[in-house]
Amino acid sequence: MKRLAALLLILLMAFTLASCSKKSEPLASLDIPKKEEVAPYRLSEKELQLLRAFAIDINGNAQVFSFKTPKGTKAVEVNAYALSRDFKWESIGGTTVSANDEVPVEQQGGLLSMVLGENHAIDFCLSFGNCTFYFKSDAIEDYEGHMASYKAYLPESQEIELNMEIPVAILVYDSGTTMRSYAPEQYFTPEDFEGMDLVQAVTLRFSDKEFTPPAQ
């Protein structure tokens, strides 16, 4: 938690994020895609130095993605999954942000940061427009540990298609001593992870439908 707090503090300092303020454009000076794309955020040397000062490995246990929401976007979704034994993705957390009077969504630049925490929980920070949202995935309490791991993040910019999930991270853990390489797009072929002890995925989805909370 101390490392997470440090990262969020650094992001707040370096990115100058605000909380749903209409008086500023905190993301305007950042490396946000001009096209309707999701891309790995390229940290400047100054930002990397700040992260190193807090002993945070941005290339392994933390990652940042930038995006520009397409025309027609009414909601932004972040989903975290764990792979079941029958190769089905089961939700372990996420959030959906819909447009309203205070939260513009369409044609907005944004950032998604993720930090890997204890017991394989993932802490997220989603920022776009002038709003910032924090949330956390479920911990994997029944997993005892691993000898080998492989973390694959979105390697390059990808065009956004409304209502289609875009895998931005695949996290693979195993009790063996060897590990093959994987890629985020293997989210769509979960059988590729056969034999691995624990597999997690993170996806982004930009929807043309407003989010409706389930009835109580």
Side-chain angles (χ1 to χ4, degrees):
M1 290 304 296
K2 291 182 179 179
R3 184 163 295 186
L4 168 63
L7 177 62
L8 293 180
L9 175 61
I10 292 169
L11 291 176
L12 287 169
M13 291 167 56
F15 301 157
T16 322
L17 298 177
S19 178
C20 293
S21 170
K22 297 182 180 180
K23 298 181 180 180
S24 62
E25 297 181 2
L27 303 180
S29 62
L30 300 181
D31 185 19
I32 301 298
K34 301 296 188 295
K35 299 179 181 179
E36 297 172 347
E37 297 176 334
V38 176
Y41 184 81
R42 308 300 181 187
L43 291 166
S44 68
E45 184 58 34
K46 180 179 179 180
E47 291 162 347
L48 286 171
Q49 288 177 357
L50 283 170
L51 291 170
R52 294 189 194 108
F54 283 85
I56 295 173
D57 179 10
I58 189 66
N59 293 316
N61 295 321
Q63 194 58 259
V64 183
F65 307 96
S66 59
F67 59 84
K68 182 179 179 180
T69 58
K71 186 176 181 179
T73 302
K74 294 183 179 179
V76 179
E77 299 177 13
V78 181
N79 293 295
Y81 301 99
L83 190 62
S84 69
R85 294 300 179 186
D86 57 351
F87 303 111
K88 297 185 183 302
W89 293 110
E90 298 180 344
S91 176
I92 56 171
T95 194
T96 300
V97 179
S98 284
N100 58 45
D101 291 341
E102 291 187 340
V103 184
V105 173
E106 185 179 68
Q107 298 282 273
Q108 293 290 324
L111 295 172
L112 171 67
S113 65
M114 55 179 286
V115 183
L116 308 186
E118 296 180 356
N119 296 323
H120 301 283
I122 306 172
D123 291 276
F124 295 96
C125 176
L126 175 64
S127 302
F128 59 91
N130 296 319
C131 298
T132 303
F133 306 89
Y134 302 101
F135 53 101
K136 184 173 184 174
S137 72
D138 298 336
I140 310 296
E141 301 288 357
D142 58 351
Y143 183 58
E144 296 181 354
H146 61 275
M147 293 290 291
S149 65
Y150 190 87
K151 304 174 182 70
Y153 300 102
L154 184 72
E156 58 189 15
S157 61
Q158 181 172 332
E159 184 177 355
I160 297 171
E161 183 177 347
L162 281 173
N163 304 314
M164 297 295 293
E165 279 191 297
I166 299 174
V168 297
I170 287 287
L171 314 169
V172 187
Y173 305 92
D174 192 63
S175 56
T177 57
T178 60
M179 173 70 68
R180 59 172 291 188
S181 61
Y182 294 95
E185 60 262 28
Q186 288 175 275
Y187 168 80
F188 298 108
T189 54
E191 295 82 4
D192 291 350
F193 303 104
E194 183 175 4
M196 297 295 99
D197 289 347
L198 173 63
V199 184
Q200 296 171 289
V202 177
T203 69
L204 267 169
R205 190 170 83 100
F206 302 86
S207 176
D208 60 4
K209 299 176 178 60
E210 294 181 0
F211 173 67
T212 302
Q216 298 295 324

